[in-house]
Amino acid sequence: MTTLTTWLRDPNPASRLQARLGQGYLGWLRFRRNPLAMIGFLIVSLLLLMAAFAPLVATHDPITQNLTQRLLPPLTAGHLLGTDEFGRDIFSRIVFGARVTLYIVGLVAITAPIFGLLIGTVAGYFGGWVDQVLMRITDIFLAFPKLILALALVAVLGPGIENAVLAIALTSWPPYARVARAETLTVRNADYIAAVRLQGAGAGRIIWGYVMPMCLPSVIIRVTLDMAGVILTAAGLGFLGLGVQPPMAEWGLMISSGRKFLFEQWWVATMPGLAIFIVSLGFNLLGDGLRDVLDPRSAGK
Amino acid sequence: MASTDTAPPRRRSRLVHNLKRLGATVLALAATFLGLMLITFVIGRVVPIDPVLAVVGERATTAQYEAAREALGLDRPMWEQFVIYVRDALTGDLGTSIRTRTPVAEDIARYFPATLELATIATIFGVLLGIPAGVLAATRPGTWIDQLVRLIGLMGYSMPVFWLGLMGLLLFYGILGWVGGPGRLDAGFEMMFEFDVPRVTGMILIDTALAGKWDIFRNALSHIILPAGVLGYYSMAYISRMTRSFMMNELSQEYITTARVKGMPEWRVIWVHALKNVMVPLITVIALSYANLLEGSVLTETVFAWPGLGLYITTALFSADMPAVLGGTVVVGIVFVALNMFSDILYRLVDPRAR
């Protein structure tokens, strides 16, 4: 272990890999000093583990109904968080719901930033009227309230998990385009870009291979910070009945079904909300911490 | 303006500059508006609901169907349909709702005041609590007050608004009974408001106050306080966070040091000198949070059965009433854009450095 850390801390790295890993290690050390960020990291890791091993963690099947066990309060034998109106174990449904949430978040986290990166780098690199047109389009999408646009899109596409992902992705790319454009403007006149161009590289190659990697860190930070928002939007769509459809276990949908028994059986709506809250908080804390580590401008503060 | 003719040349050039900026702003506004219309137009055309069928019904003959199709203008080329769509919207015609059979613009005029009332009170909560909290946190960085403000803000960014609304209902209405339940009024007062109070603004609190019906006013207040508080919490989370960062920045400026060296009391340095300068960027933040509340109202209104624009859009969505959905979307989009522009202009008026 000690040889590994000395290798990582070597001020004169022998290879590119060693230098990169060393940088990563230093970042991790800085990250570890931030207790709130560590809590966020822990929550997100737990969520990932819970989703990966859902069948092992859950005590019951999330879909099978058992009407003799309806609406049992929390801490009744075998049901840690109680049961819902169909006698399904709420804890198990929350555990399986983590998969749905991660699925939505994962897909949005891949599609929206890639799209935003493409638009932003192209706009920033070419400048001129390309920039004008692309940024005007970005502004129009930014001008729309996200949830309302997502609602209108779901109205067209029809409710469902894939369409919810599409609607959220289509409404959340503009900030990434803005960030990517700003980063592109700072590097597009750099000498190393000129050097690549003189070697005969085309615009596509320059953007893909030399501009985009420079935009990645700031976009990744933005993505982590936005994850909580994506979770909330997805849950909101589910709550309105426009996202994931029953009997699938999705946290927003579970809250919506618990609404009917709010005053008598409070736990049905409360528990999945707590899950959303904790997970969003985790992503927010993690995002804050990552920003401090990856973004040198805010590291000093 | 006659006075500008006699103004020194420097002022005139500033006027020209301002006019140019105004022109650019108006142009950007027009482009955004067109884009907004284009998006809703495309959504309206690709939706798998036949608008003609929705009007004439399933049992219409082919001739009736064709007649209705022509009446709706759907037989014309796409670009012409779009031009007509924009022209109609500019004259306040957003189509006719399939569900209520009344013009969408009329429906929205009836539903919008409820949303406006809610968002306004929520913003007042957010400003009154958020700014002092942000200032306190900025003047005591690292202390428990700072941590508490940060935690409250973080929670606001992590809690689903519909869940917080439900929890609020459970606690303050179901268990404690301190506030009114869902809806804008109790059922009994609903009728009284319907018949005894003339509609002036459509906002219950203002209309009942104008009519002097204080019992209805009190009832309305007990209903609005919880949803407005829930939305206000989110507004506060955002405003306090921004206030803190602006204030921190301001307190490190040299004029603050000068004021302190002069022996000015600390409260005056913070609450008068620094806050005055913080207010400038804060205006933008407040306008933005106001605009965001309109969005947050979609979910809040569903939870509280609040008959506002958000509830109108979602209800329309479930009855496949596309004109209503798109009309509502356009209106929210326009209000959103207008608020952004407004804050931008206000910013320039208030901050001499931005001119």
Side-chain angles (χ1 to χ4, degrees), chain A residues 185-201:
Chain A
L185 287 181
T186 61
V187 298
R188 77 172 204 186
N189 292 324
D191 288 343
Y192 83 98
I193 298 280
V196 182
R197 197 178 298 136
L198 286 174
Q199 283 172 4

Side-chain angles (χ1 to χ4, degrees), chain B residues 145-167:
Chain B
I145 296 184
D146 187 23
Q147 299 292 347
L148 184 73
V149 170
R150 198 187 141 153
L151 189 72
I152 290 174
L154 261 176
M155 280 168 66
Y157 283 98
S158 313
M159 261 190 285
V161 59
F162 51 94
W163 182 70
L164 189 63
L166 286 174
M167 292 301 109

Side-chain angles (χ1 to χ4, degrees), chain A residues 34 36-37 136-137 139-149 151-158 225 228-229 232-233 235-242 251-253 255-256 258-259 261-264 266-267 269-282 284-285 288-289 291-292, chain B residues 27-29 31-37 39-40 42-44 46-49 147 150-151 154-163 165-167 169-171 173-175 182 234 241 291 294-296 298-299 302-305 310 313-314 317-318 322 325-326 328-330 332-333 336-337 340:
Chain A
N34 183 343
L36 283 177
R136 202 62 294 153
I137 296 174
D139 281 348
I140 290 166
F141 273 89
L142 265 182
F144 256 118
K146 261 167 114 177
L147 186 65
I148 304 233
L149 184 57
L151 281 183
L153 285 170
V154 172
V156 177
L157 304 165
L225 282 171
L232 294 185
T233 312
L237 285 176
F239 177 75
L240 291 172
L242 294 168
W251 297 342
L253 192 66
I255 296 178
S256 141
R259 223 181 124 188
F261 327 100
L262 180 66
F263 299 114
E264 294 81 30
W266 54 270
W267 56 90
T270 307
M271 298 307 175
L274 276 178
I276 300 177
F277 173 47
I278 293 170
V279 169
S280 308
L281 194 66
N284 271 330
L285 294 173
D288 267 359
R291 185 181 49 196
D292 292 346
Chain B
L27 212 68
L29 189 66
T32 314
F33 172 74
L34 270 183
L36 232 131
M37 295 303 292
I39 293 176
T40 52
V42 170
I43 290 177
V46 297
V47 73
I49 302 163
Q147 299 292 347
R150 198 187 141 153
L151 189 72
L154 261 176
M155 280 168 66
Y157 283 98
S158 313
M159 261 190 285
V161 59
F162 51 94
W163 182 70
L166 286 174
M167 292 301 109
L169 269 180
L170 176 63
L171 180 64
Y173 173 65
I175 298 174
Y234 290 87
R241 181 157 147 161
L294 291 176
E295 185 183 359
V298 172
L299 292 162
T302 308
V303 170
F304 289 96
I313 294 177
T314 41
L317 203 60
F318 285 111
M322 278 323 270
V325 173
L326 296 178
T329 310
V330 166
V332 175
F336 212 73
V337 174
N340 276 318

Side-chain angles (χ1 to χ4, degrees), chain B residues 121-133 235-236 239:
Chain B
I121 295 189
T123 303
I124 293 173
F125 276 150
V127 169
L128 288 184
L129 295 173
I131 293 180
S235 161
M236 183 192 75
I239 290 176

Side-chain angles (χ1 to χ4, degrees), chain A residues 1-66:
Chain A
M1 202 60 198
T2 40
T3 48
L4 180 64
T5 49
T6 41
W7 182 75
L8 283 169
R9 279 178 165 160
D10 193 350
N12 305 309
S15 66
R16 194 184 277 193
L17 179 76
Q18 189 184 356
R20 275 202 190 143
L21 286 177
Q23 273 300 314
Y25 179 68
L26 288 180
W28 165 247
L29 286 184
R30 230 176 311 151
F31 185 79
R32 225 176 44 181
R33 274 207 301 270
N34 183 343
L36 283 177
M38 279 309 282
I39 294 176
F41 179 70
L42 213 71
I43 293 175
V44 175
S45 316
L46 270 178
L47 175 78
L48 288 171
L49 286 176
M50 200 164 95
F53 300 106
L56 298 177
V57 180
T59 50
H60 293 73
D61 185 277
I63 311 275
T64 315
Q65 304 183 0
N66 183 355

Side-chain angles (χ1 to χ4, degrees), chain B residues 124-266:
Chain B
I124 293 173
F125 276 150
V127 169
L128 288 184
L129 295 173
I131 293 180
V135 171
L136 277 179
T139 48
R140 295 163 183 75
T143 60
W144 66 270
I145 296 184
D146 187 23
Q147 299 292 347
L148 184 73
V149 170
R150 198 187 141 153
L151 189 72
I152 290 174
L154 261 176
M155 280 168 66
Y157 283 98
S158 313
M159 261 190 285
V161 59
F162 51 94
W163 182 70
L164 189 63
L166 286 174
M167 292 301 109
L169 269 180
L170 176 63
L171 180 64
F172 294 110
Y173 173 65
I175 298 174
L176 298 170
W178 288 355
V179 299
R184 288 174 94 187
L185 289 166
D186 286 351
F189 287 103
E190 199 87 56
M191 297 303 279
M192 281 168 68
F193 177 68
E194 203 63 43
F195 295 112
D196 295 352
V197 180
R199 296 297 153 85
V200 184
T201 59
M203 292 183 246
I204 292 193
L205 289 178
I206 295 179
D207 284 359
T208 50
L210 287 176
K213 302 277 183 197
W214 294 107
D215 46 341
I216 308 182
F217 179 87
R218 265 199 302 278
N219 189 258
L221 199 63
S222 79
H223 278 267
I224 204 171
I225 197 115
L226 187 58
V230 167
L231 278 177
Y233 178 67
Y234 290 87
S235 161
M236 183 192 75
Y238 180 49
I239 290 176
S240 66
R241 181 157 147 161
M242 298 314 277
T243 307
R244 181 184 181 275
S245 89
F246 292 149
M247 197 73 188
M248 294 279 266
N249 187 31
E250 212 58 47
L251 286 177
S252 64
Q253 303 283 323
E254 282 181 357
Y255 75 91
I256 294 291
T257 318
T258 312
R260 281 181 179 150
V261 169
K262 279 198 312 188
M264 186 181 284
E266 187 65 16

Side-chain angles (χ1 to χ4, degrees), chain B residues 15 38 57 71 106 118 126 135 168 174 210 229 294:
Chain B
L15 183 80
L38 188 64
E106 236 173 72
L118 192 60
V135 171
L210 287 176
L294 291 176

